[in-house]
Every structure is written in C-alpha cells, then in structure tokens.
C-alpha cells in the first residue's frame, strides 16, 4: 500500500464543478437546495428558531386505545452484520402468507426498542437500539397490520416503554393503501407496513433547523436495524419511498406538521420473482417525486417536511437546474481484502449491545477491520450517498482523505495530509473527531438527486446516509470496536476540507469509528 503525500491544493485544483443549463449555481439561486443550506451549522451553531424549553418525554400516550402485549423478544440467529447485509434482497412482491406476531414484535424491538435503562438520571433514560441526536428520540414507529397472525387488522403505535402495541385506528382499505403507497399490483401489498415518523419539535427546541436533518438521519438508522433484523428473521423488507404524505399521516392520526412519517417499510414473505416484477421494481425505486413550492408557514422543520411531500395530484416537482458535480480525482488507489474478518458479535447482539462511546482511544485499527467495515456497508452504497473516510490511525494506511469505491472495493486517496486538527476544528473541536481511528463521512449528491427527483430526494439522501451510519455502528460493535455519530459538524469548512462544493456534493452525515476508550 504505497502512499504519496501531495498538497491539498492539488486536490482543490482538480475539483471542478461543471455547470450546464441556466448557470444558476448561486448561493441563493436555487430554492430546492434551500433546505440543505437552511439546515447547515454555521460558526455559532445551527440556524433557525430554538424553543425555550425541552419538548418533553419522547413517548406518546393513547390511554383509550386497546393495548396488545408483544411477545418477549428472543435472540436472533447467530448471523453477523456482514452476512446479513450480503443476504438482503429486495423482494419483488409479497405472498399471501401472514407475518408472524413474534416476528413483528422482534422487528420493532430490534429497530428501535429499549435496549438499556439508565436509572441514574431523573426521569430514567430509556436508551434505544438506534442512536438518536442528543438521545432525544424524535422517531416513533407505527404498524399498519393487514395480515399479521394473532393481530386484528388496524393501525398500531409501538410503545417502547412496555413493548406493546396500542391500536390507534382502523387500517385503510387495500384500495386506499394502494393509493397511499403507489402499489402498482396486488403482489406489492404487504401483510404489514412499519412507518417511521418524526416528532420534529423534540429536536427543533435544541437543534433549530438542523433538527430536520437529524430527524431524517435517525430515520435511516432505525430503518437499517429493521432491514437487517428482518433479513436474519427471514422476513422480507421493502422500503416504500414514494408514499403520499397527507393520506398516510391522516391514516395514522398524525397532523403531518408536528409529527409526520419520514419512511415506510413493507414487511412480509416473498412472492415468486418474475421479470415483470423486476421491471416494475426499477421504476418504483426511481420514485415519483412531486413536491410543493413556497407559501408555507410554521416552524422551519415542519416547512421542510411539507416542501418535500409527495402528492398524487400531478403537481410538477420543483427541481434545481441540471448540473454535474465532478468529485475530487484520486491520487492513488488501495485494494481492500474481500473477505470479512471473523466477528465477535452477531447482528442481534450488536444491536442490543450498541452504545455510542463517549471517548475513543487514539489507537490503530487494522487494515482488515477497515475492509470489514466496508464489506458491511457495501450493498447500501450507491444511492446518491458515497462514504469518504478520513484516516487517523489505520495500520498500513497513511493518514489522509480517501473515497471508498464500492464497485471495485477500493480506497482512492484524495489528500495525503494528516487532517486530524483541521477535521476536529470542523467538528466544533469535539475530541472524538481527533481520537477515533477513522471518520466515515457520508457525502450526498444532494444537487443531482434533487435535479433528478425533485425536493423529495432530499429526504431520501439523508435517510440513506443514516442507513449507512447504522451499518458503521453495527460493523464496529461486531468487531469489538465503537462508533459514534458526530453530526454536529460545521458544513462549510468540512465541505471545503473534503474538496466538495457543499451543494451538488455535500457532507450529509458523519460517524466516527475506532477503539472505545
Ligand atoms: C443524527 C445524530 C447526530 C449525532 N450527533 C452527535 C454529535 O455531534 N456528537 C456526539 O457526541 N454524539 C452525537 N450523536 C450520538 C448521540 O448522542 C447518541 O446516539 C445518544 O446519546 C444515544 O446514545 P447511544 O447511541 O449510546 O444509544 C448523534 C446521533 C445521531 C443519531
């Protein structure tokens, strides 16, 4: 692994953003990119309104709802995160078989159930399977049960405190669900749907506009737990990205402003694969992005959610002008080993044990551990989010900035300098940014995604970044290492450090990876 160190300015010089079309790449020229700018961290922190007081407990009460006790959660089969991630296959459709009641309970628990109770604080803190910004837990889970064994058809709220379901509404008819989820054929109807919502004010009071990004990133972390746990349980999971916001929120009894659905997972068992399904799949993945422009009142985070909504009314999606972002060129390439390291913990154990370390030891991790991290992430890369890494302490790899090339399973060196100090500065001086072995920086093709799919794509880029972040957490935990999100970075200096323009290509999420102190 030969490495040459070259000047940072060479990378900057090689970084070109080519513009075509109207040449509208101005700071304020592009309303679709406004959300990303408005959720950035500046020198003095996030922008926008902070409420004066914390928003309250991260739970909801439905005192009049019928309560259904879920089965006690059992251990998942002894399958590692890398194997589960490789085994995941997007189902082309679902069979008529019902979803098991125990499976549903286990999936909710492994997605975002309570994995640790801290009694040393008042009120006691219930820590979860997925990380959450400031442990404020903006996300809630709902189930639309169509065909779940031992469970009446209905809409249910997952109460993490008691591991129970509260029946909050009747389930929409199949026709209504087809419309809400844009299901083109009966085979796409799943026996159950899990919706991940965000109660935006739980973040807004502390993080102001930035809270919107965190809500979406959290959604991705939770979704990835759900996806991997379902793979181990041999339940098929299919993300439904093109849902109609208003009708879905209404069906769950949410106002769509204070609390709104950010992601949906269809769950069930697989129907037969067929070429017809495969064709529909590729169309579905592209999504149909239709948003709303302007004229929106209320808190910023609610406006962002509103402006990334989908409607079925044929409103043309707002898109930024077409532009092409060219990523920084590689100075050198490094092959990574293709075999994953033997892991200490299975996926189920990793989810249950996962905790964000408060500190990292500034010790070296091995090249094999780094390769295993990427093997564990590889299949989720490529949907508008690419991991870059800042290497501080990896055996046999020089410090510097690298981009992971998923197709070739290689690292491209972009900047051969020691970036520890400069990087920690962009992370508001957080020591963890200096001491962890590696920073995994999720770079989103924000501008290109929105140019293609409209504003709704902003949500998807952030959710996907969260999904990758969760892979980093689970890979770390499985190898006896630790991971911690550091999403409180300052946008402009970090983008600049990475040679990104900050709009077409921008840092959307950041997770540190290394040895726990
Ligand atoms: C979107 C997001 C952003 C976060 N940003 C930071 C951060 O900037 N600094 C930090 O120390 N921890 C950060 N965290 C980690 C949380 O503080 C941590 O997940 C939370 O305290 C719960 O603890 P646990 O992960 O051990 O369950 C972030 C987590 C998420 C999901």
């Amino acid at each position: 692994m030969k490495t040459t160190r070259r000047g940072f300015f060479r990378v900057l010089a090689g970084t070109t953003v080519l513009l075509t079309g109207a040449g509208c790449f101005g700071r304020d020229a592009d309303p679709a990119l406004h959300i990303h700018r408005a959720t950035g961290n500046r020198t003095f922190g996030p922008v926008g309104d902070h409420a004066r007081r914390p928003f309250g407990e991260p739970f909801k009460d439905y005192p009049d709802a019928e309560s259904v006790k879920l089965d006690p959660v059992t251990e998942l089969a002894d399958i590692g995160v890398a194997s589960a991630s490789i085994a995941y296959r997007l189902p082309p459709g679902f069979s008529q078989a019902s979803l098991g009641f125990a499976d549903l309970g286990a999936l909710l628990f492994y997605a975002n159930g309570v994995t640790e109770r801290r009694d040393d604080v008042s009120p006691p803190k219930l820590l979860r399977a997925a990380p959450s910004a400031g442990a404020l837990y903006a996300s809630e889970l709902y189930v639309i049960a169509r065909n779940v064994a031992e469970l009446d058809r209905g809409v249910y709220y997952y109460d993490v405190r008691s591991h129970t379901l509260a029946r909050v509404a009747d389930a929409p008819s199949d026709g209504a669900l087809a419309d809400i989820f844009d299901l083109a054929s009966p085979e796409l109807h799943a026996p159950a749907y899990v919706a991940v919502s965000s109660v935006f004010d739980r973040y807004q009071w502390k993080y102001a506009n930035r809270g919107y990004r965190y809500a979406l990133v959290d959604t991705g972390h939770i979704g990835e737990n759900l996806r991997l746990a379902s793979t181990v349980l041999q339940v098929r999971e299919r993300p439904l990205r093109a849902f109609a916001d208003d009708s879905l929120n209404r069906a769950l009894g949410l106002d769509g402003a204070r609390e709104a659905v950010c992601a949906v997972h269809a769950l069930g068992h697989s129907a037969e694969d067929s070429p017809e399904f495969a064709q529909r799949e590729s169309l579905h993945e592209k999504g149909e992005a239709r948003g709303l422009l302007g004229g929106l009142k209320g808190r910023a985070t609610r406006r962002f959610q509103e402006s990334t909504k989908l409607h079925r009314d044929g409103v043309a999606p707002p898109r930024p002008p077409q532009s092409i972002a060219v990523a920084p060129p590689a100075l050198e390439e490094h092959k990574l080993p293709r075999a994953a390291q033997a892991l200490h913990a299975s996926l189920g154990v990793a989810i249950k044990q996962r905790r964000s370390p408060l500190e990292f030891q500034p010790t070296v991790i091995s090249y094999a551990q780094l390769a295993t991290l990427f093997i564990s992430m590889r299949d989720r890369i490529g949907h508008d989010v690419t991991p870059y890494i800042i290497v501080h302490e990896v055996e046999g790899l020089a410090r510097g900035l690298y981009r992971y090339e998923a197709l070739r399973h290689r690292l491209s060196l972009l900047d051969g300098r020691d970036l520890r100090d400069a990087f920690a500065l962009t992370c508001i001086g957080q020591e963890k940014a200096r001491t962890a072995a590696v920073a995994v920086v999720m770079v989103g093709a924000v501008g290109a995604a929105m140019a293609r799919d409209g504003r709704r794509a902003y949500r998807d880029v952030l959710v996907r970044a969260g999904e990758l972040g969760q892979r980093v957490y689970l890979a770390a935990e499985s190898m006896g290492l630790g991971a911690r999100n550091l999403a409180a970075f300052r946008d402009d200096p970090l983008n600049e450090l990475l040679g990104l323009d900050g709009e077409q290509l921008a840092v959307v999420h950041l997770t540190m990876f290394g040895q726990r102190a």
Side-chain angles (χ1 to χ4, degrees):
M1 288 169 288
K2 182 170 69 74
T3 301
T4 54
R5 289 165 185 265
R6 304 204 187 154
F8 178 49
F9 290 105
R10 176 163 170 188
V11 175
L12 271 187
T15 306
T16 337
V17 177
L18 298 175
L19 303 168
T20 60
C24 303
F25 188 55
R27 284 247 137 218
D28 296 302
D30 183 349
L33 287 169
H34 169 75
I35 304 174
H36 192 62
R37 281 201 294 277
T39 53
N41 265 338
R42 307 289 189 278
T43 310
F44 298 108
V47 290
D49 295 340
H50 293 261
R52 284 207 189 87
R53 277 187 297 280
F55 184 67
E57 289 294 286
F59 313 109
K60 290 177 73 182
D61 287 305
Y62 291 94
D64 300 329
E66 175 200 338
S67 172
V68 181
K69 187 95 197 128
L70 290 161
D71 289 350
V73 177
T74 50
E75 297 296 326
L76 292 182
D78 187 12
I79 294 175
V81 57
S83 309
S85 63
I86 291 164
Y88 173 81
R89 292 280 175 279
L90 191 73
F94 294 97
S95 70
Q96 296 299 310
S98 60
L99 180 68
F101 184 70
D103 284 346
L104 177 65
L107 285 171
L108 294 167
F109 170 79
Y110 283 101
N112 203 26
V114 173
T115 50
E116 187 180 340
R117 187 186 157 100
R118 294 245 168 101
D119 287 310
D120 51 343
V121 286
S122 175
K125 193 106 190 149
L126 301 182
L127 297 173
R128 311 285 184 83
S132 144
L136 293 171
Y137 303 108
S139 303
E140 298 284 4
L141 299 183
Y142 296 84
V143 180
I144 300 177
R146 271 184 72 242
N147 182 13
V148 178
E150 301 163 49
L151 190 66
D152 290 341
R153 193 180 160 117
V155 174
Y156 296 84
Y157 166 75
Y158 176 51
D159 190 333
V160 295
R161 293 167 291 188
S162 48
H163 190 52
T164 54
L165 291 174
R167 192 174 189 285
V168 296
D170 290 338
S173 67
D174 282 0
L177 286 173
D179 197 39
I180 291 172
F181 295 134
D182 201 15
L183 305 176
S185 70
E187 298 87 350
L188 290 171
H189 279 281
Y193 303 91
V194 170
V196 185
S197 77
S198 285
V199 181
F200 298 112
D201 287 354
R202 289 184 193 160
Y203 281 168
Q204 171 96 36
W205 78 269
K206 185 166 182 190
Y207 301 115
N209 290 4
R210 181 73 161 191
Y212 186 60
R213 278 203 210 173
Y214 293 169
L216 297 176
V217 167
D218 279 16
T219 303
H221 277 270
I222 293 167
E224 201 50 35
N225 271 350
L226 181 69
R227 175 170 301 124
L228 292 174
S230 70
T231 310
V232 172
L233 285 167
Q234 298 185 356
V235 171
R236 307 295 293 271
E237 180 273 354
R238 182 185 171 92
L240 298 179
R241 306 208 187 258
F243 56 87
D245 295 73
D246 286 342
S247 355
L248 179 56
N249 287 324
R250 256 196 314 273
L252 303 187
L254 311 181
D255 68 358
R258 283 187 191 81
E259 181 181 3
V261 174
C262 292
V264 179
H265 303 265
L267 297 168
H269 297 282
S270 178
E272 294 287 303
D273 284 7
S274 80
E276 198 195 336
F277 277 133
Q279 198 183 3
R280 254 187 245 136
E281 162 50 23
S282 70
L283 290 175
H284 197 85
E285 263 289 294
K286 277 190 193 159
E288 228 190 307
R290 297 186 195 129
L292 256 188
L293 270 173
L296 306 165
K297 295 207 166 48
R299 286 196 187 285
T301 49
R302 297 179 197 166
R303 289 202 310 274
F304 300 146
Q305 180 75 359
E306 177 74 21
S307 72
T308 56
K309 271 178 12 182
L310 290 190
H311 301 263
R312 303 257 182 268
D313 56 6
V315 174
R319 296 165 200 266
Q322 187 61 43
S323 53
I324 305 162
V326 178
L331 302 176
E332 267 187 27
E333 293 208 326
H334 297 267
K335 268 191 191 172
L336 289 161
R338 292 200 169 261
Q341 250 214 345
L343 300 176
H344 299 273
S346 66
L347 174 81
V349 172
I351 293 180
K352 284 207 283 190
Q353 285 182 357
R354 182 211 62 79
R355 280 284 76 84
S356 307
L358 286 172
E359 286 171 41
F360 289 94
Q361 268 180 40
T363 48
V364 216
I365 61 160
S366 72
Y367 199 60
Q369 285 171 323
L370 187 68
T372 304
L373 165 68
F374 288 115
I375 291 167
S376 308
M377 297 172 78
R378 207 172 159 200
D379 66 293
R380 299 287 320 144
I381 297 172
H383 297 287
D384 301 322
V385 185
T386 304
Y388 283 39
I389 57 164
I390 299 175
V391 170
H392 294 341
E393 303 287 356
V394 178
E395 197 181 9
L397 195 62
R399 289 193 177 118
L401 171 68
Y402 299 79
R403 185 177 52 228
Y404 176 63
E405 316 290 351
L407 276 179
R408 296 183 307 145
H409 191 46
R410 280 178 191 200
L411 289 172
S412 293
L413 175 70
L414 305 178
D415 180 354
R417 295 179 307 153
D418 176 352
L419 296 176
R420 282 176 299 177
D421 292 338
F423 174 61
L425 260 179
T426 70
C427 295
I428 327 185
Q430 297 190 69
E431 190 55 13
K432 291 154 268 193
R434 246 190 143 275
T435 47
V438 161
V440 184
V441 188
M442 270 58 87
V443 174
V446 177
M450 286 203 270
R452 190 188 61 228
D453 290 340
R455 276 193 204 171
R456 175 51 160 264
Y458 188 72
R459 280 196 209 170
D460 293 340
V461 169
L462 270 287
V463 170
R464 284 186 158 130
E467 292 170 354
L468 283 177
Q470 189 63 9
R471 291 280 178 103
V472 180
Y473 264 89
L474 296 176
E477 206 65 46
S478 311
M479 287 187 267
L481 301 171
R484 184 169 195 116
N485 287 337
L486 281 197
F489 53 84
R490 288 197 195 102
D491 293 72
D492 290 347
L494 182 55
N495 285 318
E496 206 174 303
L497 190 69
L498 269 59
L500 309 172
D501 72 288
E503 292 190 338
Q504 298 304 319
L505 288 178
V507 177
V508 288
H509 188 31
L510 168 57
T511 310
M512 304 306 299
F513 176 86
Q515 194 76 54
R516 299 165 170 277

